[in-house]
């Protein structure tokens, strides 16, 4: 695959029922990138997801949207990493984050799962946590009892607009991410939102 290959995985739940929900903002981001690149996802059973591949400024970029439920995301990530013999150091997971307000986007390398079932499964299956994450803020309902209902529903119009701005900001720093200039990407991203 070469040293410049990257795997970008947007997290979400499959099916029309979940498409517009807060928990699927990882899918929204990766769909926006694929649309920019004028590429389409194709079903790939061996990766448990929809897969696309682009050459972007000399980088092989593999895109994956798992088509299994969020709490099994690690199965899809591990299948693709193993197939292409990629290191998790070349993995970017894009996911929703309850701890950030809508409109916020943060890059983070390593860390825990913060209660996110997709991240929990990825960490468990990889046996490591030192991969890169793009955290897209969706806000918090205010109580832990309301979290499931909150993430599985649509954002308000104002929150939707804020999330879309965060998605655009995340896409803008992707050149630095793929060039392994994570510090520069973080600085740019964290200072503009």
């Amino acid at each position: 695959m070469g040293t410049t290959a990257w795997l970008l995985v947007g997290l979400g739940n499959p099916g029309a029922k979940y498409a517009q929900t807060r928990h699927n903002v990882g899918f929204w981001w990766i769909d926006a990138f694929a649309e920019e690149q004028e590429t389409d996802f194709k079903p790939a059973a061996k990766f448990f997801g929809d897969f696309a591949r682009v050459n972007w400024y000399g980088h092989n970029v593999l895109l994956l949207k798992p088509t299994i439920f969020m709490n099994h995301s690690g199965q899809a990530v591990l299948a693709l990493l193993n197939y292409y013999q990629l290191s998790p150091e070349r993995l970017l997971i894009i996911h929703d984050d309850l701890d950030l307000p809508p409109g916020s986007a943060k890059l983070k390398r390593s860390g825990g799962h913060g209660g996110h079932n997709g991240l929990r499964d990825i960490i468990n299956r990889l046996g490591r946590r030192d991969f890169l994450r793009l955290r897209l803020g969706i806000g918090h309902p205010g109580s832990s009892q309301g979290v499931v209902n909150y993430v599985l529903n649509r954002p308000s119009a104002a929150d939707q607009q804020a999330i879309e701005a965060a998605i655009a900001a995340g896409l803008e720093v992707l050149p630095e991410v793929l060039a392994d200039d994570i510090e520069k990407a973080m600085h740019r991203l964290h200072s503009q939102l």
Side-chain angles (χ1 to χ4, degrees):
M1 224 25 258
T3 55
T4 58
W6 273 85
L7 171 56
L8 278 49
V9 182
L11 297 188
N13 282 309
K17 174 181 175 184
Y18 299 105
Q20 300 304 313
T21 65
R22 292 178 180 92
H23 219 18
N24 275 37
V25 299
F27 278 5
W28 302 357
W29 187 94
I30 209 156
D31 282 338
F33 179 66
E35 192 174 318
E36 269 186 10
Q37 303 309 307
E38 298 179 352
T39 191
D40 294 316
F41 286 93
K42 305 271 189 300
K46 65 186 171 191
F47 303 139
F48 308 96
D50 291 336
F51 176 71
R53 187 174 177 169
V54 296
N55 189 294
W56 198 64
Y57 294 100
H59 300 282
N60 283 314
V61 184
L62 311 175
L63 308 176
L64 182 68
K65 296 194 306 182
T67 50
I68 48 182
F69 281 97
M70 182 77 82
N71 55 354
H72 299 293
S73 299
Q75 187 178 4
V77 172
L78 190 60
L80 197 50
L81 284 175
N82 286 343
Y83 185 86
Y84 285 106
Q85 299 181 325
L86 289 175
S87 162
E89 289 162 16
R90 293 285 183 167
L91 170 64
L92 173 64
I93 300 290
I94 305 99
H95 65 90
D96 59 302
D97 197 306
L98 285 161
D99 295 328
L100 297 175
S104 180
K106 302 280 184 198
L107 275 166
K108 177 181 179 180
R109 186 176 289 284
S110 200
H113 54 72
H116 193 289
N117 289 329
L119 289 178
R120 179 186 281 117
D121 192 58
I122 292 166
I123 290 168
N124 287 343
R125 288 181 190 261
L126 297 185
R128 56 195 289 182
R129 54 186 63 212
D130 59 340
F131 51 86
L132 195 62
R133 305 102 187 269
L134 175 61
R135 304 160 59 209
L136 298 170
I138 60 168
H140 197 284
S143 77
S144 56
Q145 290 80 17
V147 165
V148 172
N149 189 47
Y150 181 77
V151 299
L152 295 179
N153 273 289
R154 289 171 176 248
S156 66
D159 283 359
Q160 175 89 27
Q161 198 170 9
I163 290 166
E164 286 171 3
I167 287 169
L171 289 169
E172 281 179 21
V173 300
L174 192 57
E176 286 93 344
V177 170
L178 299 184
D180 282 323
D181 198 345
I182 308 302
E183 293 302 318
K184 184 177 179 184
M186 285 180 174
H187 180 75
R188 268 188 72 197
L189 183 63
H190 301 173
S191 60
Q192 66 182 325
L193 290 173

